[in-house]
Amino acid sequence: MLDDGATLLAEFRDSYFGRRSDFATIGAYESAVNGRGIPDMDIDVMGSGSIDILMRRGISFAWDALHEAVDLPWKPSLVARVSVEATLMDADMYTGYVTFFSAEFAERMGIGEASDLPGLQVVLTSEDCVTPLAD
């Protein structure tokens, strides 16, 4: 959905309680609303063994969401960043995140370019996700 110039996932927007006026840029608003942790409470594998599971979950969720965007009437160009890194509390435990951005914001922020951010990152675009994932 479009909200005051920001491209947002409708369900994420519906569950977000912040105000657009709290953000200086549209991209910062998109990041706040469109970012979510990857569910991990059911993962029995601890430590680095959970990285593969978190990345698969995050990438498949991001792919499905970006694939849905392909059919929207206004054809938004979107980017998803999937990341997994060690937690702040325990360097042997990992957590994952998925964040969606408009391609315009992602380009301005250098998302998708080489960076020195910690952890693993995968960047997908809505153009990458034209076909659905196999079941």
Side-chain angles (χ1 to χ4, degrees), residues 12 34-40 54 58 61 83 95-99:
F12 284 10
N34 290 338
R36 292 295 189 274
I38 299 169
D40 61 4
L54 290 166
F61 171 70
S83 62
T95 190
Y97 300 95
V98 179
T99 307

Side-chain angles (χ1 to χ4, degrees), residues 27-79:
Y29 183 51
E30 288 178 356
S31 297
V33 174
N34 290 338
R36 292 295 189 274
I38 299 169
D40 61 4
M41 297 301 286
D42 65 325
I43 298 175
D44 295 332
V45 179
M46 300 299 286
S48 61
S50 65
I51 293 172
D52 288 349
I53 299 167
L54 290 166
M55 288 301 287
R56 277 195 309 269
R57 284 182 182 182
I59 290 169
S60 64
F61 171 70
W63 190 289
D64 285 345
L66 293 173
H67 177 69
E68 291 282 325
V70 170
D71 293 330
L72 293 173
W74 71 90
K75 303 288 185 219
S77 184
L78 302 174
V79 173

Side-chain angles (χ1 to χ4, degrees), residues 58-128:
I59 290 169
S60 64
F61 171 70
W63 190 289
D64 285 345
L66 293 173
H67 177 69
E68 291 282 325
V70 170
D71 293 330
L72 293 173
W74 71 90
K75 303 288 185 219
S77 184
L78 302 174
V79 173
R81 179 177 58 202
V82 180
S83 62
V84 173
E85 62 185 276
T87 64
L88 292 175
M89 303 298 268
D90 185 345
D92 292 326
M93 292 194 65
Y94 292 83
T95 190
Y97 300 95
V98 179
T99 307
F100 297 88
F101 310 91
S102 63
E104 177 185 355
F105 172 69
E107 185 176 327
R108 275 192 262 139
M109 294 301 295
I111 294 166
E113 299 173 5
S115 74
D116 58 356
L117 293 173
L120 301 171
Q121 293 188 46
V122 171
V123 175
L124 299 169
T125 68
S126 49
E127 293 79 11
D128 294 329

